[in-house]
Amino acid sequence: MKISARNQIAGTVLSVTKGATTSHVKLKLTGGETITASITNEAVDELGLKEGMKATAIVKASDVMIGVG
Amino acid sequence: MKISARNQIAGTVLSVTKGATTSHVKLKLTGGETITASITNEAVDELGLKEGMKATAIVKASDVMIGVG
Amino acid sequence: MKISARNQIAGTVLSVTKGATTSHVKLKLTGGETITASITNEAVDELGLKEGMKATAIVKASDVMIGVG
Amino acid sequence: MKISARNQIAGTVLSVTKGATTSHVKLKLTGGETITASITNEAVDELGLKEGMKATAIVKASDVMIGVG
Amino acid sequence: MKISARNQIAGTVLSVTKGATTSHVKLKLTGGETITASITNEAVDELGLKEGMKATAIVKASDVMIGVG
Amino acid sequence: MKISARNQIAGTVLSVTKGATTSHVKLKLTGGETITASITNEAVDELGLKEGMKATAIVKASDVMIGVG
């Protein structure tokens, strides 16, 4: 499926930390940065997310802020 | 100011496209990826955003989705 | 690509209204409801969105509120 | 209260899963689709959300993405 | 309608600035602060938003970040 | 760091409620209103958030809805 979100950045799963309903998934981006996603445990299970897997960080443009200085 | 958003990624402004009220700002991240932010024209003016400027892409973890395959 | 967003609802494009940088896309869901998305003009062009096309409305669970009464 | 969010879709509560601070609420929409919301436990208690209750899924247009193919 | 969003803050409309598809609405909160909302022109028209009107700023808890220093 | 988010409102931490991965932080705004943020436990620890601390509630304009009546 091709999606409208402007930001789709390739990476590798560094870690998956499951909470009661919400998981934190850290990806290492190809460029070396780390990005953290907060998604449902259900999604983690459905996607079978595990350390070392190839994955894409997806962010809508309207959810990105800019900082300077 | 130190902020709670988990994702703060350094980059350089590639382009600023102003609409009637909303601007699209593209950053080249240090790792080479491009990220697009949709912010208000007011914010662009206040931050004085211009091509070539150092800037940080800021995204809350709860706004990041994960894709696989 | 399989994505973590919990809400992926099939529909058909009813209309695409382009602004200076932001477009409003209305989908008729299979169940008959209408859903409105605010996405970038760039995304509309890249996805080639036109009236009558099959498309999916995608929403992260953390972006859904509940109302009662 | 009348609100600006473009998407307000009627449904019935299918399930409420409480975590430590965050709950996942699934609604069956009138059209038959299921939608998942991630809201605070506090909100679940305040709205008295229970299986079988009539409820509305509320989503801002800027939080809806579009997928094709 | 009672909604799950944790943040519902009373105020008065200071200004409405319409773009091609998106409007910026500024509210003066009872406490004196100003808050800016980016909503669709359609919503502005439907709610009949005008300077001086009583209105409520509504924000989901998952969309609020915290800054210190 | 100066950021693009239009809404940056000063307040004081009222309470911090930690879940398994997600915390709810309530601030009392200078104007007397209370605002709730849902952020990661990691962010709470990194910012050292405690009751009584000065802190700022940060919200992107595109995450603010308006209600009337």
Side-chain angles (χ1 to χ4, degrees):
Chain A
M1 182 164 58
K2 220 171 145 187
I3 59 177
S4 60
R6 291 303 70 201
N7 305 300
Q8 302 179 32
I9 309 175
T12 306
V13 176
L14 275 178
S15 65
V16 179
T17 311
K18 270 197 173 175
T21 54
T22 307
S23 293
H24 292 164
V25 179
K26 288 189 187 289
L27 296 192
K28 178 127 184 166
L29 301 184
T30 324
E33 306 95 344
T34 300
I35 199 164
T36 305
S38 174
I39 63 174
T40 63
N41 293 352
E42 193 184 289
V44 167
D45 297 339
E46 194 181 287
L47 269 59
L49 292 177
K50 286 197 191 53
E51 204 184 313
M53 255 176 88
K54 293 290 173 207
T56 303
I58 303 167
V59 184
K60 207 174 183 291
S62 55
D63 286 325
V64 182
M65 286 161 284
I66 301 286
V68 291
Chain B
M1 180 165 57
K2 219 171 146 187
I3 60 177
S4 59
R6 291 303 70 200
N7 304 300
Q8 302 178 32
I9 309 174
T12 306
V13 176
L14 275 177
S15 64
V16 179
T17 311
K18 271 196 172 175
T21 54
T22 306
S23 293
H24 292 163
V25 179
K26 288 187 188 289
L27 296 192
K28 178 127 184 166
L29 301 184
T30 324
E33 306 95 344
T34 301
I35 199 164
T36 305
S38 174
I39 63 175
T40 62
N41 293 351
E42 192 184 291
V44 167
D45 297 339
E46 194 181 285
L47 270 58
L49 292 176
K50 285 196 192 54
E51 203 184 312
M53 254 176 88
K54 293 290 172 207
T56 304
I58 303 168
V59 184
K60 208 173 183 291
S62 56
D63 286 325
V64 182
M65 287 162 284
I66 301 288
V68 292
Chain C
M1 180 164 60
K2 220 171 146 187
I3 60 176
S4 60
R6 291 302 69 200
N7 304 301
Q8 302 177 34
I9 308 175
T12 306
V13 176
L14 275 178
S15 64
V16 179
T17 311
K18 272 197 171 174
T21 55
T22 307
S23 293
H24 292 164
V25 179
K26 288 187 187 289
L27 295 195
K28 177 128 184 160
L29 301 183
T30 324
E33 305 95 344
T34 300
I35 199 164
T36 305
S38 173
I39 63 175
T40 63
N41 293 352
E42 193 184 288
V44 167
D45 297 338
E46 195 182 286
L47 269 56
L49 292 178
K50 285 196 193 54
E51 203 185 312
M53 255 177 88
K54 293 291 172 208
T56 302
I58 303 168
V59 184
K60 207 173 184 293
S62 55
D63 286 324
V64 182
M65 286 160 285
I66 300 288
V68 293
Chain D
M1 181 164 60
K2 220 172 145 186
I3 59 177
S4 60
R6 291 303 71 199
N7 304 300
Q8 301 179 34
I9 308 175
T12 306
V13 175
L14 274 178
S15 64
V16 179
T17 310
K18 272 197 172 175
T21 54
T22 307
S23 293
H24 291 164
V25 179
K26 289 188 187 288
L27 295 194
K28 177 130 186 161
L29 301 184
T30 323
E33 306 94 343
T34 300
I35 199 164
T36 305
S38 173
I39 62 175
T40 63
N41 293 353
E42 191 185 290
V44 168
D45 297 339
E46 194 182 286
L47 268 58
L49 293 176
K50 286 196 189 56
E51 202 184 312
M53 254 177 90
K54 294 289 174 208
T56 303
I58 304 167
V59 184
K60 208 174 182 291
S62 56
D63 286 324
V64 181
M65 288 161 283
I66 301 287
V68 293
Chain E
M1 180 165 59
K2 220 171 144 185
I3 59 176
S4 59
R6 291 302 70 199
N7 304 300
Q8 303 178 32
I9 308 175
T12 307
V13 177
L14 275 178
S15 65
V16 179
T17 311
K18 272 197 173 175
T21 54
T22 306
S23 293
H24 292 162
V25 178
K26 289 189 188 287
L27 296 193
K28 178 128 186 166
L29 300 184
T30 324
E33 305 95 345
T34 299
I35 198 163
T36 305
S38 174
I39 63 175
T40 63
N41 293 352
E42 192 185 289
V44 168
D45 297 340
E46 194 181 285
L47 268 58
L49 292 177
K50 286 195 191 54
E51 203 185 311
M53 253 176 90
K54 294 289 173 207
T56 303
I58 303 167
V59 184
K60 208 173 182 291
S62 56
D63 287 325
V64 181
M65 286 161 284
I66 300 288
V68 293
Chain F
M1 180 164 59
K2 221 171 144 187
I3 59 176
S4 60
R6 292 303 69 200
N7 304 300
Q8 302 178 34
I9 309 175
T12 307
V13 177
L14 275 177
S15 63
V16 179
T17 311
K18 272 196 171 176
T21 54
T22 307
S23 293
H24 292 164
V25 179
K26 289 189 188 288
L27 296 193
K28 178 129 186 163
L29 302 183
T30 323
E33 306 95 344
T34 299
I35 199 163
T36 304
S38 174
I39 63 174
T40 62
N41 293 352
E42 193 184 288
V44 167
D45 297 338
E46 194 182 286
L47 269 56
L49 293 177
K50 285 196 191 53
E51 203 184 312
M53 256 177 87
K54 293 290 172 208
T56 303
I58 303 167
V59 184
K60 207 172 183 294
S62 56
D63 286 324
V64 182
M65 286 161 285
I66 300 288
V68 293

